[in-house]
Amino acid sequence: MTMTTRQYRLTPGTTGLALQQDTRQLPLLAEDQILIRIGAVSLNYRDRLVQQDAATTRSGLVPLSDAAGTVVAVGRHVSQWREGDRVSPGFFAAWQDGPFKPHHLASALGGGSNDGVLSDYVIAQADAVVAVPDHLSLAEAAALPCAGVTAWHALFERGQLQAGETVLVQGTGGVAMMALQLASAHGARVIVTSSSTAKLRRAEALGAWATINYREEADWDKAVLDLTEGVGADHILELGGPATYTRSLNAVAHGGRIAQIGVLSGFDAAPHITPMQFKNASINGICVGSLAHHVRLNQFMTQHGIHPIIEHQFAFDEAPQAYSALAEANHMGKLVVTLD
């Protein structure tokens, strides 16, 4: 039986790549694949960069990397999944576990030449998905593959976060809010920076130990030192890029860790890193994470009953509006598109 699926593709427009909805026929399922009916997808800052990068993004690419849905068919050699299972594709289909390797990067969904998940149905390799935790909706599970796994990888896998340590997160986007929720549940003290007083109040309600409005306190690195009696932050999720990096170096504690994640202010951060030597501190490059990281994240969220922060849910036909909301950056946490 042949099936068709609605999907969005990025096609050349008047000002770069535009979202274009169409339908296509699904290929036959291979023996080691599963067919997933997508229930929800979420957007990341990366998706805006992919849309803007007409030079390297394949014309006709199906965008987005993060989704959750229900298995509706399995290949004849698939034994670990059955129809009705709720699953979420991993960000890197090829990165199962262990150290990151060069070939893993090429398997990322929704970027370059690899089709993503903004579609009614997605075919995935059976070993490239994880089970959705029972306590999460599909919309909540769709918020995790990039932002959730990134925060988990930075703090717990590479950072080895301990209760009582201080964590600084920049902004109130998807990675930052997941880091706030995860670190707070683990007993860490979380400092959140933002230019919005309203968002900082919401962050306090979510468990932030302290907040800094960087419009009112431009020298937010000094504010971090003041809050910590001169010690600094044990962990900094560096999400800003060139505009924030020097202050992150100033604010990190001796023996602390900076998780290099974001490029919100560009890709050309070139800070003077000598202070890291004399602080015996470290910088960890973080590019999302493996399926094993995703599984351990799900286990932690189940243990602590954590639900991701979703600012707004859009219908499938409203996907362009979701992209607009992403560009406006007025949200906290995640923006989600739900599918019927």
Side-chain angles (χ1 to χ4, degrees):
M1 181 181 68
T2 60
M3 292 182 60
T4 60
T5 182
R6 295 179 305 168
Q7 61 187 7
Y8 279 95
R9 292 187 178 275
L10 293 175
T11 59
T14 56
T15 58
L17 296 173
L19 282 177
Q20 180 69 46
Q21 188 178 154
D22 66 13
T23 61
R24 72 178 177 98
Q25 184 173 309
L26 290 167
L28 294 176
L29 203 61
E31 58 190 19
D32 58 350
Q33 293 178 327
I34 61 175
L35 178 63
I36 307 168
R37 184 177 66 247
I38 300 298
V41 300
S42 76
L43 282 73
N44 298 288
Y45 183 73
R46 168 191 184 249
D47 300 313
R48 187 181 177 206
L49 299 179
V50 168
Q51 185 185 29
Q52 293 173 333
D53 188 7
T56 58
T57 298
R58 172 174 57 83
S59 177
L61 181 83
V62 178
L64 306 192
S65 58
D66 294 15
T70 305
V71 176
V72 293
V74 300
R76 64 190 185 93
H77 286 175
V78 175
S79 59
Q80 66 268 51
W81 307 111
R82 63 176 185 270
E83 292 180 28
D85 286 343
R86 301 192 311 154
V87 298
S88 185
F91 183 93
F92 291 113
W95 191 7
Q96 306 289 320
D97 199 357
F100 187 72
K101 302 295 184 182
H103 72 275
H104 294 153
L105 191 62
S107 71
L109 293 173
S113 60
N114 291 333
D115 281 339
V117 294
L118 191 47
S119 178
D120 278 324
Y121 292 90
V122 167
I123 291 175
Q125 295 298 121
D127 61 358
V129 302
V130 301
V132 169
D134 290 340
H135 78 291
L136 296 183
S137 68
L138 292 179
E140 291 171 329
L144 301 181
C146 182
V149 173
T150 296
W152 174 265
H153 184 192
L155 291 174
F156 292 86
E157 302 288 344
R158 299 281 289 284
Q160 295 296 299
L161 178 67
Q162 301 298 311
E165 291 184 325
T166 302
V167 176
L168 172 70
V169 298
Q170 298 171 351
T172 56
V175 175
M177 290 299 93
M178 281 304 312
L180 167 60
Q181 292 179 280
L182 296 172
S184 295
H186 197 59
R189 307 187 307 178
V190 183
I191 303 171
V192 178
T193 69
S194 173
S195 61
S196 167
T197 299
K199 288 182 178 180
L200 291 176
R201 287 174 179 165
R202 291 176 63 186
E204 290 171 353
L206 291 169
W209 173 69
T211 60
I212 302 170
N213 187 319
Y214 60 79
R215 286 195 189 277
E216 299 173 358
E217 296 185 81
D219 296 335
W220 57 261
D221 49 334
K222 295 180 181 179
V224 171
L225 293 172
D226 289 342
L227 285 166
T228 58
E229 299 180 339
V231 172
D234 301 295
H235 303 263
I236 297 178
L237 269 63
E238 172 46 59
L239 298 165
T244 56
Y245 222 115
T246 297
R247 295 193 186 280
S248 290
L249 295 175
N250 293 338
V252 70
H254 287 69
R257 298 175 174 89
I258 294 176
Q260 167 57 38
I261 298 170
V263 293
L264 294 177
S265 61
F267 287 88
D268 298 321
H272 179 63
I273 62 171
T274 301
M276 298 296 285
Q277 176 183 353
F278 295 103
K279 287 185 174 184
N280 279 294
S282 59
I283 298 174
N284 291 328
I286 303 293
C287 187
V288 195
S290 67
L291 272 86
H293 294 156
H294 198 160
V295 169
R296 290 193 283 272
L297 164 67
N298 285 345
Q299 291 170 342
F300 184 89
M301 294 185 69
T302 297
Q303 177 186 354
H304 294 278
I306 298 172
H307 293 264
I309 306 304
I310 296 175
E311 181 76 5
H312 190 76
Q313 297 188 38
F314 299 84
F316 185 78
D317 289 337
E318 297 174 327
Q321 289 94 309
Y323 267 79
S324 296
L326 180 68
E328 292 166 1
N330 291 323
H331 62 286
M332 284 186 68
K334 299 291 289 182
L335 298 171
V336 169
V337 176
T338 57
L339 293 81
D340 293 330

